[in-house]
Amino acid sequence: MKYIPVMGLEIHAELSTASKVFCSCANDFGGGENTRVCPRCSGMPGTLPLINQNAYTLAARAGFALDCRVNNYSAFDRKNYFYPDLPKAYQITQFEHPICTDGFVEVCGGRKIRINRIHIEEDAGKLVHDDYEGVSMADYNRCGVPLIEIVSEADFRSVDEVLEYVEQIALRLKYAGVCDAKMEQGSLRVDVNISLMPYGSEIFGTRAEIKNLNSFKSIKRAIEYEIERQTEILESGGKVVQETRHYNDNHGDTKSLRSKEEAHDYRYFPEPDIPPIFMTDEQINAIKADMPEMPHKRLIRYTDKYGLPEDDARLIIADKALSDFYDKAIEVYPNYKAVSNLILVEVLRNLNDSGISAENLQFTPKSFAETVKMSENGVISKNAAKDIVKILFKKDRDPKKIAEENGFLMNNDTGALEAVINSIISQNADIVQSYKNGNNKVFGFLMGQVIQQAGKSANPQLAKDLLTKKIMEQEG
Amino acid sequence: MKLSELRAQLDSKKIGAVELVHRYLDKIQKNDSSIHSYITVCREEAIKNAGKAQSIIDAGKASPLTGIPLSVKDNICTENIRTTCASKMLENFVPDYNATAVRKLIEQNYVLLGKTNMDEFAMGGSSQTSYFGGVRNPYNTDCVAGGSSGGAAASVAADLCAAALGSDTGGSVRQPSAFCGVTGLKPTYGVVSRYGLVAFASSLDQIGIIANSAEDAGYVLNAICGYDSFDSTSSRASIGDVTEKIGADIKGLKIGLPKEFFSDGINAEVKKAVMSAAEFYENVGCKIIETSLPSLEYAVSAYYLISSAEAASNLSRFDGIKYGHRSDEGDSFNDNISHTRREGFGDEVKRRILLGNYALSSGYYDAYYKNAARIRAQIVEEYNDIFSSCDVILTPTAPTTAYKIGFQENDPVKMYLADICTVTVNIAGLPAVSTTCGYDENGMPIGMSLVGKAFDEKTILSVCDRFEQEFEKLEATI
């Protein structure tokens, strides 16, 4: 029998706030163990949580980024369970009244993946295992780091849909300034619920949940492994068990963590230490008004309005800073395609070579746009434009001055060029005749001779036009 | 002596702060062994702080509580002074932060005499569940002091401090005050910051004051109240100077007597004393209105479900990992914390944790926690109703007077039902003050409670003071 995978995702994203969600400790990554802890986030007796308003704003922004409804009323609950990295033995989360509900993301050419909810919660600490000493130690630095959990419906039917969804969510959260989405640092983590359904059926099978996938590669491999595992079970007449599974990146397989019977009863109840949050329509609308254009909307603008090829547009949009740079550059010089081309060819290459990020570009979009414009207007050659970009990467300067100083300005002196061309034609009478007889291949040779004599600054287009004209004028 | 008089004596140098603190410390040393109201006495710090207070008084910069010796219940965090919650679990726990209420007292340069005994984690009404041994009643040391702030009430009644901070989750300030013949004030929820009060039931807990009079209680409340950015449930509403109306005419004031509080479950002597207080108020020109709180019969159940659910969660953090008792037993984390909690908590605390977790378990949540929350909303409504025609409500503080130690502490249901007169005030978040309105045939004090509208501490203190002015109090025998 053939099976279709049915999947749903829970994505945890760390919010890019300056401080933690319920105290004023810094929200950072790395550093020594237990260097960012205080009585509040380590849950010392008598301490109380204080909601970080900015976490709330960012969660609402995430909602708008994913086309959710941002609710006026939301409230926190406690999720109770014992674990050494959870110092209060409960996690403050939103269970009954999440901040955002009912969103969606379109993947793979229009399949709508519904988002059930986005809620705010606090992260737990980390256990550091010392196998040599045979001890585990708790590091509470991550305790209280603000997270949002984005819960989808079980709408995925292929790995590609899952990957594109995660990619889009990561990008949109970055665009919204909600999360830096660095999966390798754990700021975006994915849980996949997966079950198999026979072709033609509409009844979902029993699902397994794979926890904490932190790269696209592991998401793909974990899903593929799980499809294979569940298929084998079903083919051999067995039953898939509802359970939580852990993906092992070294082995590329998943192992059972706990079964349904062992599942926690989290004993949720309303968090009495934090009053429910009420946001007025005005507050919600103000957050909405402050939202930047989302990448999927930007893609439509670039392709439909600017006529960029979709692949080109995606490449630029994949980096918000670069895309913002492009938008500013085309304000100065609205030749969409030309600006895009030079970004894709030269800026991306220099970014890669230098290892700097687009946010840290040394030059202004204006300098860049003017470079493109000079090139398009025949003031400099295309190659000279690339050279100017290289120079701009070191320091922002007026591109015209750079062109002047480096002799990039093209020679548009028709008289001088004509003299050179006349001399080349008379020196190569045979070849000219051969061209006139229909041997087009030799034209390049003649052009090469012209440029060689006229110098690099000669305008190649002008030279080409003149050469053609002069040859045609020859009697023959 | 009233706190305002003590203030005057300190300011006029009739008495020195150090002399005053020595007087209390000596008395604690001499008498506390018979009532065990303190868990920790801060002798050296108290003397040092009294010296500091004196220099501030000498500089003419005294605040209302500068140099005034107070006791603080041992579930309120005090920096560098162990805060045990009367539990083995926190026997050696020394916080490195102060509760906001304590910080405010320190800002006034008060003098902390010590940390008072209580029921373990404030769960109980007898102060017999303390890991350090129970508190005895200064009126009769064979009797309980009430609880959970039994040490606080006993310390005031035995004159082992000028006034005390306690905490009240379901009557824990008012009931021991009634049993020990002193005045206990539970402010409106949110008036005193809960930051640093080791949580029992967060939606019900409130720091309160036990003192010799309503005026004194108000005097201390003025110092510790106010919005605190450290507590999200702290109120921004200002209650003003709560002693402002003390001494004002209360003629024409409408006092409601909800009939359910005078049912058969209430001891006859208690009823009689409270009714004669009602008569007193009628005689001074108040209007007595019979009224009703129909949901009272569900209140104890609702209270124990909500408070135990919150307690189960609040007390989960005591796993022995970072602080507190840790068992040597157990090979795995789960095993180890099971041992830790089994060894660290007393029976009553375990009972509440079990009850709370049961009420929150999937499949039971709707039947228990949710229904309790519904009753809570209903009680709030019924109080609103009463206050649409009354200014204050008069009830007994407890169904009985202080009973003999060992009489009913081992019968949980009996103990829980004894909270009937006090829990609705916490459920509705209202302010209430208990004061002595008589003595039973054995000379044990009888308490009555005046319940006010939210944030109207002024009126209940004024009404309470009016009675205290005329009432002849018997001193504790100790």
Side-chain angles (χ1 to χ4, degrees), chain A residues 40 42-46 48-50 78 80 82-84 87 89-90 96 140 265 267-270 272-273 275, chain B residues 77 93 97 194-197 202 229-233 313-314 316-317 321-323 333 337 357 360-362 365 370:
Chain A
R40 264 180 223 277
S42 58
M44 295 300 283
L48 297 168
L50 284 183
R78 288 189 187 174
N80 297 285
F82 289 104
Y83 203 67
Y90 58 82
E96 288 244 17
Y140 297 120
D265 179 353
R267 288 160 285 131
Y268 287 101
F269 75 102
D273 286 330
Chain B
C77 287
F93 174 63
Y97 43 91
R194 289 188 298 115
Y195 187 80
L197 168 66
S202 315
S229 64
F230 273 27
D231 174 2
S232 309
T233 62
S313 174
N314 283 329
S316 292
R317 73 188 64 199
I321 294 219
K322 297 204 308 297
Y323 53 84
F333 169 69
I337 63 164
N357 279 331
L360 290 175
S361 297
S362 77
Y365 181 82
K370 269 228 159 127

Side-chain angles (χ1 to χ4, degrees), chain A residues 12 14 29 74 174 189 195 247 296 317 324 345 364 415 428:
Chain A
H12 285 95
E14 285 181 359
F29 179 77
S74 63
K174 278 197 252 182
R189 316 191 288 264
S195 65
Y247 172 72
H296 60 299
I317 287 167
D324 289 345
V345 174
T364 62
N428 298 284

